[in-house]
Structure formats: structure tokens, C-alpha cells
Amino acid sequence: QHVFMLFRQGKLRLQKWYVPLSDKERKKISRDLVQTILARKPKMCSFLEWRDLKIVYKRYASLYFCCAVEDQDNELITLEIIHRYVELLDKYFGSVCELDIIFNFEKAYFILDEFLLGGEAQETSKKNVLKAIEQADLLQEEAEAPRSVLEEIGLT
Amino acid sequence: MSPSVALQEMIRAIRSARTQCEERGVIQRECAAIRAQFRQADNGGRSHNLAKLLYVHMLGYPAHFGQMECVRMIASPHYSEKRVGYLGAMMLLDEKQDASLLITNSIKNDLSHSNQYVQSLALCTLACMGSAEMCRDLAPEIDRLLRGTNSYIKKKAALCAVHIVRKVQDLGELFAPAARSLLSEKNHGVLYGAVVLITELCAWNPETLELFRKTVPDLVQIMKGLVISGYSPEHDVAGVSDPFLQVRILRLLRILGRNNEAASDAMNDLLAQVATNTDSTKTVGNAVLYETVLTVLDIKSESGLRILAVNILGRFLLNNDRNIRYIAMTCLQKIVGTDHNAVQRHRGTIVDCLKDQDASVKRRALELSLALVSASNIRSMMKELLLFLSSCPPDLRAEAGSGIFNAAERYAPSQRWHIDTILHVLTTAGGDMRDETVPNLIQLITNASELHCYTVHKLYRALLTDISQQPLVQVACWCIGEYGDLLLRGECQETEPVQVTEDDVLDALETVLQSHMSSPATRAFALTATMKLSTRITDNVDRIRSIVSIYGSCIDVELQQRAVEYNALFKKYDHMRAAVLERMPVIERNSPGHTNGVSVGEAVKEIQPAEVKQGLLQQNANQVCDLLDLLGGSEEPVQPSLAQSSTAPGMSVNTASTAGGDLLDLLGGLEPTPHAPAPTLTAYEKHGVTLTLSCEKQSDSGLTVTLTASNSTDSDISSFTLQAAVPKSVQLHMKAPSGDSLPARGTAKVTQMVVVNNPNKVKLKMRLRISYTRQGSAFQDTVQIDSFPEVSTAGH
């Protein structure tokens, strides 16, 4: 897929691009997409065609999660991918709300990177993704913790 | 996981800014602080600073000064700094930036790091933004990782390989063997990655596709395991075990089974099983079913399976969830060509979806409904479609209107019905229709000679009610001009009699002439109609003369020209007036029932005489120029009108110009004649495949090229496809080919029409790519055509 975005009423909270585009182009596309999706009424279909891509979006509370996928991709399973990501966020933050995503945006990105790689899902088991994130976080804490004596003398 | 305090502070500060200006101030201050800190060589808070910068970037502010910092942080030995550094690289750098090359070395080192999480960071970044050079450099590393033992890394390496293959197709061969062996893994993540990789490899290289066909039994085995085996809590989603993997495997099976009998056979049982066993109450189940249906319809499956698939789609159509209905219609659209009858069964539901609130669903339903129209259901379908037209969103109107016209043309049960339908469309949505509907309708009317009376009455009434819809007004004016006497006679079997006096008619036409809503073309129609009435009516000829002479000083050049000519007709050529303004002859046209692609070309040729007239009426400068050229480039304004009015056959017009004799000859040629065979050119002849092309000129800038292919070898050719490219300013539209298989020894041919529009009159060149399969192997060839045979204007 090409891009994964989260936004609320005009403010982009997270965007991950899997195709090379200049900054200006990215801004233009995001603005365009956001406007198109915000114009949709609540009961409408979750899929729409935009340029030559298919857009799949879903609304959770006040946040819109949106993916741009290619023609051959299965739209229904993309909806599931979006749902799986939300579940992951929920499990990680414990009942996630928008503020969590705002203040811990880098964590949200890390989780996304554990779940999707190069635009495709990499791990289909929720448990494994969360485990990997936990381990990576531990590693980060160890790195940030005051260096131990052993490290200082170069044994670790 | 202690969140960075400084980062949170900053975020809070930014969010509390009340105006855009305040926010910008906060951000500028922060950026200045960050820049200062970047310049300092080594401090503990580097990762926090970069995180702050990334947040600022996400809000949309420029952050390119952070690129070098990203590069530095990636190279740092600390995991936390690496993590943020890689994140920054993915957000700020892309393959177009120069700085991205600098991280290639870091990535290379990190790919062999002892810690798998560092490795995974490197893989992730490479897969997200790796450029072609980076991919080429690092491909061997990735291959090595694919063959390693760590599942966590293997699955990531597989997806990284997918990205590499997308960027540099040649490297696909490097990964093929490793991908093959990955299929025997147990870990779902690795399996998933392997399947995606194989899908990608097969997409780019047909030989690899052949190679991987042998894996079909393995894939079938894996799927069976997923579908039948017990409940695995880890991968289960709402009762379906690992739907993501299932969908992916189905997609790969689809690619492997396409056009291949053996592979398709192997999959039949499995697909039937998946289709029947999957629970379809939740979206996941439906996702798997959808993929199964797509696969069944694409491979060479047996008919029972296809019927099962269409039934599943039918069930989807009845589902309450709008998404599912949309998907079902998209899928049905793809197969309506081949499995027409199966789709017909669901016509009722599809037509109901026309009334849905959602614009996407409406669009799909419209396309599908138009595809389902046939001779038997035309009346009911048309009723629904007309209802839809009156309430549909504006962007769908043009499509709906043209679709209705096509359908009406092909399946009209009677001419009266046809005329009624078109009139209905014009009254509801006339403004959105294309221009050629007017000449088409006029031609239709002249053909339906017994309905002239009825038609003119209806049109007159429509004209009285509303003169804003231009196409309708144009047709009405033309008809009143032609058949005004029938209108005035007052009685008509098919509609209620109404007394129309000559004054009423002239009033109506004058209203059109004077209204500000009428376009110049419409006014021209009205003026000509008024003129024609001068021979059809008896009392008010003077009134007509005065109307016509008023327009002799009109600002609009076209109107003025006509008015002057008509005045001349009154004054100098009064004896010819009756003959000149006689009824138009019935215009021949091709029988309906051709596919639209083919008939457009031919019908346009046949109605060229009418178009010549209509062309003048519609101020089609191109055709007017053509005509003037035909007349020998004469400058006198009297010529065009005489040409226009002398289409009545067998008439001798004693014109004042010496070109009169030529005129008659030329106009004799304008009558519909069976057109001479267009010049052909053999474009390509190799390996027994011959491709000829013939051109017909449709208008000054349009050309229809017909490509005919034949096969003189001893073996059949299948999947014959043509692709064409033309120079930049030229527009190209390829119609659907008549088929894609060429049986041996030239027993049947394949034709394809290509419509070319060359508005800038550049030298027309075309490059054709021919691809086909013969005796199991694929051939591809390219040929360039630099000179097109000289064509004459059709009907000449």
C-alpha cells in the first residue's frame, strides 16, 4: 500500500508514506485526501476511488484512520488491518484515546513499524507484535538508564 | 518507558497556543533551541530533540535541518538514539534527498548487528525508503538474512526483499530460491512474508511464475491446515484463523492459476471448501470469501465453482453492510461480460442499489445496470434508469445519460418508445448531455417517418414549457422547421389534438431567438427553422421576412450571415425558395445492434451528409472549412447556404457562381454511398503473425484506425493483446478487441479499433506492442508505424 494516515478534523496525527514523494507533494495529497474523506457522510461506504488508488477509511470516535491501497488489494482485509492496528494501540496504551497518540506519537510509529513493513503486514499475531514492542522498549530503557560500571570499563 | 518530559512539555505548549500565529512563535523558538543543541557535539538529550523536531515536522513545518542529525544518530551506538534516528530517516529522508545515501553504510552495519531489534530497525527503514542504489548494495545482505534462523528477522527480511524487487526488478532472481524454501516454515509471520515475496516475484517475471507453479500443492496444503485445523488463539480473528494469511495465499493462488489448467484443477477442491466453510457474519469472513470469489472467477475453474462464486456475490448484494454491497458490485462488474446470465439473476437487487444514499454505491450500481440492459428487460430497466437520472448526483448525470442513449439505441423495442425515451432524458438532464446527441436524435426522427406528426407535437409542447435545455430546444426547432405543416394541421392520431396557429409557432420560435438562455447554436437552429416555415405556412410569410431581416444586422456573425443569405433568398431567388427549403431526405444509418465501439465509427460516416448540415448549424468550424474547401475555396458567402440547402437530391440549382457545376458533382458524392475500402497498410509480419491497419478519417482531427491480426502458423495463439502509444499531443482511445485468440492457419481474425484524436495536427506515429502466447511460451514485440496511409474524408 501507499500511505497510512490518522487524522482528526484537519489535524494530521500520524502519517506513514511507503512511496517516495517530495514534501510538497505529500502535503498536497494529504490535504486533498483529508478533505475528501471529511466530506463523506457518516453512513457511507468505507471505500472510495481517488485518482487511481482505492481509499479505505474508518472512523473511530473522532479519529479517522485511512489507507491508500492499490487496485489489486482486498479492501475488506485492509479494513481489518486498520482495526488490528487500533487494537494494538489499545492494548499497548491501555484503552487508548487521542491524547495518548498525540503525546506519544513516536511510540505509535514504533508500533506501526512492528505491524506493517514496507506497506505490507508483517506479523499476523497480535501477541507477537506486542511482545516485540515490549522487548524493544526494554532495550531502550536499558540504554537510557545510567550506564553501569561494567559498561564504563568496556565489558558490555 | 519513560516519556521524554521535554517533548511532552513542548507538545503541551504547542497545543495551548490559541492562534496560528502564536503556534508559529512557539515552534520557531523551539526550532531555534533544537538547532543550537544539534550544533553541540554530544549531549544526552539528543533523541528527545530529534523527537521534538519530528513532531514539529508532523504539524507541517519545515524540518530539513534535522536530516544530518538523523544520519548522526543512526550511527550512534545507543539503541534509543538509533530508534529515533531511524524514525527520523523514514519521515524526513526519502530517496530523492542526497542525505539518504549517507545512511547506507549505517544500515549495512546494523543489518549484521548482534541485537535483532537493531537489525529490525535497519530492515524497516530500508523497506520504507530504500532507493534503487541502496537496494542493489544491500540485496546480498538481505538474502543472507533470509537464509538465517531467526524467524523474527526472516519475516522482516522477506518484506524488505519485496521492496527491493519492486525497486530493482532484476534482483528478483536473487531471492527466488530463498523464497521457495521459506514456504516450509511454521511461523505464520515468515509464511506471510514468503507468500508476499513470491507474489511479487511472480508479478514481475513470467519465468519465475512458471517456477512457482510447482508450489501450488504446498500452498493448498497450508491453506487446508488453516481452514480445517483447530482453533489457534494467537492467530484467530472472530472465528477465522489467520485471515490475513488466508487472503494472501488465495491471492497468490489466483496468480498461479490464471490461464493454467493444471494449477487451477489442483485448487478447485480447496476453493470450494473455503467458500463453504468460512463464516460470513463478520467482515473477516467476508474478506476471505471475497478473495476466494476473486480467485475462482479469475482462474480456469469448473462451472459449478463459478456458480458458487456468483451466488456468494449475490448473498453479498443482499447484505445490510454497504461496504459488502459495494464490493460485490465491483466484482460483478468484472464478470458481467463473461457470466452475463448469472449476473442477470441479481438484476433486481442491483437496480435497488441505484436508490442507495451513498455516491460510490450509486456509481457502481449505475455501471452494472447499464451493463445488464438487454432486449428482454429494456422497458423495465429504462424506467428505473430514467427515475435514477432525475435524482442522481450531477457528476453521474453525463454518464447515466450517455449510457441510457446507448442502451436505447441498441434495444429500443419501437421507434416511438425510443423517441419518447430520448425526449425524457433531454427534458430531465439535457444540459449535461454530449453534443452528438442532437444530430443522433434528428437522424432518428427523420427515420421514423410515420411518427413525424407525433414527434413534432410533443416537441412543440416541450418547447412551450421550457426553453432552457439547449439540446432539446435545438431538436425542437429543427423539427418544427421541418414538419411545421404537420403541426399546423392540428390532428394527430397518437396524441390529443391541439389547435396550433401559425402565430403561435412563430411566437415560440421568436422566443427562442430572443431569449438570453439560448446559445448561439440554438439561435441558428431557430432562425433556419423560421426560414423553412416560410414555405410551409401560408399567411405569415411577411412576418418571417421581417424576423429574418432583423437578424441581418445581428452582432453574431453566424446569425448575420444566415440572415443575409435568407434575405437574398427572399429577394433574388424567390422562385427557388420552395425547392431550396424542401424536406430533408431520410438519412441512412447503420442498423443498431453493433457494439458501440464499432458502430460509432460507421454511423458517423453514414450520417456525414447530415453532419455536414449539422456541422454548419453547430458552427463546427472544421467541417465548414472542409465544405468550403470542397467548393474550391470560394469566398462568397452565398455558397455555404446553397450547399446546405441543396442536399435535396435531383435538384438543379442555377447558382450564380461558376462553381455550380462542380458543386453538384461534389454534392452528388455527399449522398450516402457504400464507402470505398479504406487504404490498408501491413504494419507487422513476423513468426506468422500479420497485423494490418486501415484508417478512416472521422473529422478534421479524428481518425479511426482498425487493426486486424491474423495467424498463419500451424499452432494457435492465445492471449493476444495490443498496446499502442502515440506522440504526446495526440489522444488515443482503444476500443475492446474482438477477441484474444488467433486460431491457426488464419481461420479467424482479431480486430481492434483505435480512435485517435490529433488536434494539433502533429505527424502521426504509433508504436504498437504485440504480446501473445504460442505453444506455452510468451512472445512480445514492438513495431513503430511512422507513416499512415493517406485517407480521404469519409463519404467523399
Side-chain angles (χ1 to χ4, degrees):
Chain A
Q1 53 171 278
H2 290 223
V3 66
F4 188 95
M5 285 203 286
L6 272 85
F7 58 89
R8 170 198 128 98
Q9 281 325 107
K11 278 203 183 284
L12 214 52
R13 296 288 173 219
L14 184 148
Q15 52 174 322
K16 186 89 187 185
W17 293 83
Y18 295 106
V19 284
L21 286 168
S22 75
D23 234 1
K24 213 167 59 160
E25 283 169 7
R26 285 185 191 184
K27 276 217 189 92
K28 191 157 159 297
I29 292 180
S30 339
R31 226 190 357 240
D32 219 1
L33 260 183
V34 168
Q35 266 175 353
T36 317
I37 294 181
L38 287 177
R40 306 271 289 179
K41 298 198 213 70
K43 281 290 182 182
M44 289 176 106
C45 188
S46 278
F47 314 126
L48 55 110
E49 276 135 46
W50 183 81
R51 301 205 190 162
D52 57 339
L53 297 169
K54 297 200 263 204
I55 309 289
V56 181
Y57 74 96
K58 193 146 182 219
R59 185 177 171 171
Y60 289 86
S62 57
L63 271 182
Y64 286 86
F65 287 70
C66 140
C67 279
V69 293
E70 286 168 355
D71 221 19
Q72 325 92 293
D73 290 326
N74 182 331
E75 296 99 322
L76 290 173
I77 212 77
T78 315
L79 267 182
E80 280 305 307
I81 288 184
I82 295 181
H83 191 70
R84 175 56 68 89
Y85 180 58
V86 176
E87 283 177 346
L88 286 169
L89 286 175
D90 198 42
K91 214 51 189 302
Y92 182 78
F93 287 111
S95 209
V96 67
C97 66
E98 195 191 339
L99 282 179
D100 287 324
I101 302 183
I102 297 175
F103 280 98
N104 295 296
F105 72 97
E106 78 273 20
K107 299 280 190 322
Y109 272 104
F110 294 148
I111 297 178
L112 186 64
D113 284 334
E114 274 302 321
F115 178 47
L116 298 177
L117 191 73
E120 308 277 349
Q122 53 174 297
E123 180 57 67
T124 51
S125 145
K126 236 188 322 195
K127 202 175 74 178
N128 287 347
V129 178
L130 290 169
K131 206 165 56 170
I133 302 271
E134 248 177 67
Q135 295 284 0
D137 279 342
L138 268 174
L139 198 58
Q140 182 164 350
E141 272 180 32
E142 283 169 20
E144 285 176 353
R147 298 169 196 198
S148 68
V149 177
L150 283 171
E151 233 190 331
E152 299 224 291
I153 58 179
L155 275 180
T156 319
Chain B
M1 30 155 200
S2 52
S4 145
V5 177
L7 174 61
Q8 304 236 313
E9 283 297 321
M10 184 192 84
I11 297 180
R12 218 166 275 135
I14 294 177
R15 278 170 64 80
S16 60
R18 241 155 301 182
T19 64
Q20 184 75 307
C21 189
E22 224 179 295
E23 182 180 297
R24 249 176 302 177
V26 173
I27 295 208
Q28 269 177 357
R29 268 196 308 266
E30 288 287 343
C31 281
I34 294 173
R35 262 193 295 249
Q37 298 202 316
F38 280 171
R39 260 177 261 131
Q40 286 178 16
D42 191 27
N43 58 29
R46 277 166 71 186
S47 54
H48 303 307
N49 285 324
L50 189 56
K52 281 196 224 174
L53 184 61
L54 292 177
Y55 184 79
V56 165
H57 173 75
M58 206 163 66
L59 290 177
Y61 295 92
H64 34 264
F65 57 86
Q67 286 175 8
M68 286 315 293
E69 187 66 14
C70 286
V71 175
R72 246 174 277 144
M73 294 197 48
I74 289 176
S76 138
H78 300 296
Y79 180 69
S80 55
E81 294 185 354
K82 266 200 208 287
R83 215 179 185 193
V84 184
Y86 273 117
L87 181 62
M90 284 192 274
M91 281 176 82
L92 297 176
L93 297 173
D94 57 47
E95 58 183 40
K96 300 206 182 105
Q97 314 276 7
D98 301 322
S100 62
L101 289 173
L102 297 171
I103 62 174
T104 313
N105 209 22
S106 304
I107 295 187
K108 192 169 192 164
N109 292 336
D110 284 336
L111 280 177
S112 354
H113 202 276
S114 50
N115 188 317
Q116 63 176 4
Y117 296 104
V118 175
Q119 281 180 310
S120 85
L121 283 176
L123 283 168
C124 187
T125 309
L126 184 60
C128 181
M129 45 76 70
S131 66
E133 291 90 33
M134 287 166 74
C135 290
R136 251 187 266 267
D137 283 338
L138 299 168
E141 283 293 312
I142 305 291
D143 192 42
R144 188 179 58 81
L145 289 172
L146 270 180
R147 295 171 201 275
T149 51
N150 187 336
S151 311
Y152 180 73
I153 292 299
K154 269 199 281 196
K155 74 175 191 236
K156 294 190 190 250
L159 288 174
C160 203
V162 170
H163 177 86
I164 293 179
V165 171
R166 280 194 194 136
K167 284 277 179 220
V168 184
Q169 277 93 52
D170 308 324
L171 289 172
E173 291 146 5
L174 178 61
F175 296 118
R180 181 83 183 75
S181 59
L182 283 179
L183 271 185
S184 40
E185 290 274 336
K186 289 278 172 259
N187 181 314
H188 280 229
V190 181
L191 264 181
Y192 189 92
V195 172
V196 179
L197 179 57
I198 296 178
T199 315
E200 199 63 35
L201 289 173
C202 293
W204 291 112
N205 196 334
E207 282 137 22
T208 329
L209 181 66
E210 290 299 325
L211 190 68
F212 279 110
R213 274 232 178 87
K214 305 191 192 83
T215 64
V216 170
D218 298 325
L219 291 169
V220 171
Q221 207 50 35
I222 300 175
M223 267 301 277
K224 277 215 172 89
L226 283 176
V227 175
I228 303 175
S229 75
Y231 173 73
S232 144
E234 206 171 288
H235 298 284
D236 182 276
V237 181
V240 180
S241 74
D242 210 343
F244 304 106
L245 186 56
Q246 284 195 30
V247 166
R248 268 309 185 170
I249 294 184
L250 284 169
R251 189 159 143 186
L252 180 56
L253 285 175
R254 180 157 87 235
I255 297 179
L256 293 176
R258 205 178 274 164
N259 293 327
N260 187 306
E261 290 282 349
S264 310
D265 283 334
M267 299 176 212
N268 272 324
D269 286 336
L270 171 70
L271 292 171
Q273 204 164 36
V274 175
T276 38
N277 284 351
T278 313
D279 174 24
S280 66
T281 46
K282 294 272 171 64
T283 316
V284 257
N286 285 327
V288 177
L289 280 176
Y290 176 52
E291 198 70 29
T292 317
V293 167
L294 282 175
T295 306
V296 166
L297 295 173
D298 216 7
I299 66 174
K300 298 217 181 297
S301 49
E302 53 183 26
S303 58
L305 202 51
R306 285 184 92 90
I307 295 182
L308 182 60
V310 178
N311 286 344
I312 293 180
L313 287 178
R315 259 195 351 248
F316 277 0
L317 275 179
L318 298 166
N319 196 311
N320 282 328
D321 187 345
R322 216 174 245 129
N323 294 338
I324 312 264
R325 267 186 280 163
Y326 178 87
I327 299 274
M329 284 198 279
T330 316
C331 207
L332 284 172
Q333 182 80 27
K334 291 194 194 125
I335 61 164
V336 77
T338 47
D339 294 88
H340 194 94
N341 294 329
V343 184
Q344 279 282 8
R345 236 173 282 145
H346 303 286
R347 191 165 50 87
T349 333
I350 295 173
V351 169
D352 280 333
C353 287
L354 277 174
K355 307 195 186 86
D356 197 300
Q357 298 291 342
D358 184 313
S360 318
V361 173
K362 271 200 177 124
R363 179 189 296 272
R364 285 268 167 266
L366 175 66
E367 281 169 13
L368 210 45
S369 308
L370 288 173
L372 283 179
V373 172
S374 77
S376 46
N377 58 30
I378 179 76
R379 283 193 197 260
S380 45
M381 286 296 278
M382 197 48 81
K383 234 189 313 215
E384 292 291 337
L385 285 170
L386 289 175
L387 204 64
F388 173 69
L389 191 63
S390 43
S391 61
C392 80
D395 46 337
L396 286 181
R397 273 222 191 111
E399 207 180 305
S402 51
I404 291 178
F405 281 149
N406 289 338
E409 220 171 270
R410 285 159 76 176
Y411 302 113
S414 74
Q415 285 187 320
R416 178 176 160 173
W417 182 91
H418 195 170
I419 292 180
D420 276 340
T421 312
I422 299 192
L423 285 179
H424 193 133
V425 174
L426 285 179
T427 38
T428 354
D432 297 308
M433 292 304 130
R434 291 199 305 258
D435 296 326
E436 63 228 25
T437 54
V438 174
N440 280 342
L441 181 55
I442 289 181
Q443 185 183 60
L444 185 63
I445 292 176
T446 54
N447 270 323
S449 43
E450 60 282 2
L451 290 172
H452 286 164
C453 189
Y454 167 72
T455 315
V456 75
H457 270 96
K458 269 204 98 155
L459 283 170
Y460 176 69
R461 236 167 284 168
L463 194 62
L464 288 180
T465 40
D466 172 26
I467 58 169
S468 60
Q469 304 273 28
Q470 296 305 308
L472 183 64
V473 175
Q474 286 172 2
V475 177
C477 288
W478 191 91
C479 279
I480 293 177
E482 277 294 299
Y483 309 120
D485 46 338
L486 293 175
L487 182 62
L488 293 168
R489 226 184 288 148
E491 6 125 329
C492 180
Q493 303 109 319
E494 313 214 10
T495 102
E496 322 90 59
V498 65
Q499 272 308 101
V500 181
T501 66
E502 295 176 1
D503 275 319
D504 292 334
V505 176
L506 286 175
D507 280 338
L509 286 175
E510 241 185 310
T511 325
V512 174
L513 270 175
Q514 290 164 354
S515 160
H516 62 280
M517 288 192 277
S518 307
S519 70
T522 315
R523 286 221 182 88
F525 267 95
L527 191 60
T528 312
T530 316
M531 189 59 196
K532 283 193 210 167
L533 280 180
S534 72
T535 51
R536 319 262 198 263
I537 64 180
T538 46
D539 297 333
N540 290 5
V541 183
D542 287 330
R543 184 171 169 190
I544 294 182
R545 279 189 82 150
S546 58
I547 296 177
V548 166
S549 55
I550 290 175
Y551 281 89
S553 46
C554 175
I555 291 181
D556 187 324
V557 176
E558 171 75 19
L559 279 182
Q560 187 186 87
Q561 177 175 330
R562 285 174 196 238
V564 166
E565 291 159 12
Y566 294 151
N567 261 331
L569 207 54
F570 268 120
K571 296 198 187 104
K572 288 198 262 180
Y573 303 103
D574 204 42
H575 51 286
M576 282 195 271
R577 193 159 47 90
V580 166
L581 298 173
E582 227 179 56
R583 287 268 168 93
M584 291 278 289
V586 172
I587 303 160
E588 282 299 318
R589 77 189 294 235
N590 265 343
S591 57
H594 288 236
T595 57
N596 283 318
V598 176
S599 71
V600 161
E602 294 174 355
V604 171
K605 275 200 303 302
E606 296 302 333
I607 62 170
Q608 193 70 321
E611 279 214 353
V612 168
K613 178 179 195 314
Q614 303 312 334
L616 291 174
L617 289 171
Q618 288 169 33
Q619 301 174 294
N620 189 334
N622 289 340
Q623 291 180 326
V624 170
C625 292
D626 275 348
L627 197 57
L628 287 175
D629 286 342
L630 287 173
L631 295 170
S634 165
E635 300 299 319
E636 292 179 46
V638 187
Q639 295 289 18
S641 77
L642 287 174
Q644 154 199 329
S645 45
S646 6
T647 47
M651 190 190 70
S652 65
V653 177
N654 198 2
T655 68
S657 153
T658 50
D662 298 338
L663 192 62
L664 280 178
D665 290 339
L666 290 167
L667 290 172
L670 277 175
E671 277 171 33
T673 52
H675 71 97
T680 63
L681 160 74
T682 303
Y684 171 85
E685 201 167 303
K686 230 190 245 180
H687 304 302
V689 175
T690 317
L691 190 66
T692 56
L693 62 78
S694 64
C695 314
E696 277 132 14
K697 202 159 177 182
Q698 299 309 331
S699 66
D700 208 42
S701 65
L703 186 71
T704 302
V705 178
T706 309
L707 300 158
T708 313
S710 63
N711 170 14
S712 60
T713 63
D714 284 336
S715 49
D716 294 357
I717 282 179
S718 58
S719 322
F720 185 86
T721 44
L722 287 167
Q723 291 163 300
V726 286
K728 253 200 195 127
S729 61
V730 181
Q731 292 137 18
L732 178 73
H733 180 51
M734 292 188 92
K735 310 270 186 193
S738 63
D740 73 339
S741 59
L742 287 169
R745 291 184 220 97
T747 41
K749 295 190 195 302
V750 165
T751 49
Q752 184 162 10
M753 309 253 307
V754 179
V755 177
V756 173
N757 189 21
N758 189 355
N760 296 346
K761 310 282 184 57
V762 303
K763 171 111 177 63
L764 186 62
K765 294 188 225 188
M766 193 185 282
R767 185 174 295 163
L768 286 171
R769 180 187 290 169
I770 302 158
S771 40
Y772 58 92
T773 313
R774 186 161 75 95
Q775 288 169 335
S777 41
F779 283 81
Q780 230 187 48
D781 210 346
T782 320
V783 64
Q784 177 140 340
I785 303 164
D786 287 319
S787 58
F788 279 75
E790 276 312 303
V791 293
S792 52
T793 316
H796 184 218

